[in-house]
Amino acid sequence: MTRLPLFPEQASTVAGQVDALLFFLLGISVFFTLLIAGLIVVFMVRYRRRPGVDYVPETHGSLALEGLWTAIPFGIAMVIFFWAASIFATIHRAPDDAIPIDVVGKQWMWKLQHMEGKREINELHIPVGRPVKLTMTSEDVIHSFYVPAFRLKQDAVPGRYSTMWFQATVPGEYHLFCAEYCGTLHSGMIGRVVAMEPSDFEAWLSGQQPGEASVPPAVAGENVFRALGCGTCHRADGSGQGPSLAGLFGKSVTLTSGETIVADEGYVRESIIHPQAKLVAGYQPVMPTFQGLLSEEDVMRLIAYVKSLKAEGGS
Ligand code: CUA
């Protein structure tokens, strides 16, 4: 099957599972199509109108038959449901040790950033045999990150974060497509994913990039944080007008509404863009909005910086 030119190679841990489900669905469809079309032809010939033969039938209901042809499709539908749901759950739950990579889609390119500092455009280098988790958003319209060889596709949506994870199994270069029509040069929004042996990947990762390009996002985020004067209110010791950010990421936060939420990427982003949307209990709505003042990449850098702040007050 991998010889078929229209069928991309299987290069991730989920590719085989997705293909197996696809072939099961295809098999079921082909079986019933042939069965029904075949019976139509057989009955057409066998019960055609002929002189001297009267086929006006006597019909009897059969509860057993009704039950059977209700139960069989139900059973098939349930097999498809649980099978697909289990693959869906696998695809949507990233392992905790996945390598985090930030992705911003914009007309018409993919911008990617490794936490060690390397930045890439329309290219993603990853090691094989290790889970990788992409956190994605868009600077403008909806794009979709599609790697056929991994059998994975995920929308990058402006104003929110979506995630996608995979583990490459075979070193090589794979197509990366934008799979959501996003404007004039949508068809040119393509690139490649380079899966490398872990040692090659480490060498690539530590290779030099010119200038600012290799600053880790947490460090770049700290520079943005300083430049915007965020530290005036968000003091590490909690004495400022805004809550301390030290050790915040991943913790539960109590809001003025009494609601409790977990401080994840989406929450931190919203608190930068719409500070009043989820106000932390005990604080005044004094923070200005940074909507339109920060690129999505800068917001991701700020989040990387907030993530790096440990509870001891490491700022
Ligand atoms: Cu981006 Cu289509």
Side-chain angles (χ1 to χ4, degrees):
M1 194 53 69
T2 49
R3 307 258 159 175
L4 274 179
L6 287 177
F7 219 78
E9 50 201 313
Q10 300 176 341
S12 77
T13 49
V14 298
Q17 301 175 42
V18 173
D19 285 356
L21 179 62
L22 172 72
F23 289 127
F24 177 74
L25 292 173
L26 270 177
I28 294 270
S29 306
V30 168
F31 173 78
F32 280 102
T33 303
L34 292 180
L35 179 71
I36 292 167
L39 284 177
I40 287 174
V41 171
V42 167
F43 290 162
M44 268 163 52
V45 173
R46 189 154 170 204
Y47 299 111
R48 70 188 184 279
R49 185 188 288 180
R50 279 173 290 184
V53 187
D54 181 16
Y55 281 121
V56 174
E58 255 180 83
T59 47
H60 305 279
S62 166
L63 197 61
L65 211 52
E66 292 278 356
L68 193 67
W69 68 48
T70 305
I72 291 175
F74 179 76
I76 294 173
M78 286 300 105
V79 167
I80 294 171
F81 171 74
F82 283 106
W83 188 351
S86 100
I87 297 177
F88 183 87
T90 306
I91 287 176
H92 282 261
R93 214 181 301 122
D96 292 336
D97 61 342
I99 301 169
I101 293 174
D102 286 342
V103 181
V104 176
K106 59 188 292 188
Q107 288 167 325
W108 287 276
M109 66 177 84
W110 294 106
K111 300 179 101 177
L112 304 108
Q113 168 121 48
H114 297 259
M115 293 306 123
E116 293 79 5
K118 272 264 169 129
R119 277 149 71 173
E120 305 192 71
I121 289 178
N122 293 342
E123 273 198 346
L124 172 60
H125 289 73
I126 47 156
V128 296
R130 288 218 35 203
V132 172
K133 180 185 175 187
L134 307 183
T135 299
M136 315 198 276
T137 190
S138 167
E139 195 79 59
D140 35 51
V141 299
I142 299 177
H143 303 276
S144 190
F145 196 94
Y146 181 32
V147 186
F150 293 173
R151 306 293 189 275
L152 289 171
K153 174 159 60 178
Q154 175 65 51
D155 281 3
V157 183
R160 74 161 82 154
Y161 290 128
S162 50
T163 61
M164 164 175 171
W165 84 271
F166 49 79
Q167 180 168 328
T169 50
V170 187
E173 286 185 17
Y174 306 105
H175 287 296
L176 162 63
F177 296 112
C178 176
E180 184 71 52
Y181 181 66
C182 56
T184 316
L185 294 182
H186 158 72
S187 62
M189 194 168 163
I190 53 176
R192 57 181 192 146
V193 175
V194 183
M196 311 166 92
E197 292 294 351
S199 54
D200 296 341
F201 176 71
E202 291 306 325
W204 175 86
L205 200 59
S206 55
Q208 284 303 304
Q209 251 183 336
E212 190 208 8
S214 56
V215 178
V219 175
E222 183 172 8
N223 293 337
V224 176
F225 192 84
R226 290 246 163 83
L228 295 173
C230 309
T232 318
C233 296
H234 292 289
R235 293 198 194 139
D237 61 5
S239 66
Q241 284 194 70
S244 163
L245 305 180
L248 166 74
F249 198 86
K251 296 283 175 337
S252 291
V253 178
T254 306
L255 307 177
T256 45
S257 62
E259 202 187 339
T260 304
I261 56 141
V262 173
D264 58 7
E265 285 95 346
Y267 167 74
V268 177
R269 183 187 183 283
E270 185 181 40
S271 297
I272 295 168
I273 306 297
H274 305 291
Q276 266 58 273
K278 295 203 173 72
L279 203 61
V280 178
Y283 289 91
Q284 297 300 310
V286 292
M287 177 169 157
T289 174
F290 287 89
Q291 188 166 28
L293 301 176
L294 289 168
S295 68
E296 290 297 340
E297 285 170 281
D298 277 343
V299 175
M300 281 180 151
R301 286 175 192 130
L302 283 170
I303 292 171
Y305 173 59
V306 170
K307 275 185 190 171
S308 74
L309 296 173
K310 299 287 175 279
E312 305 86 77
S315 167

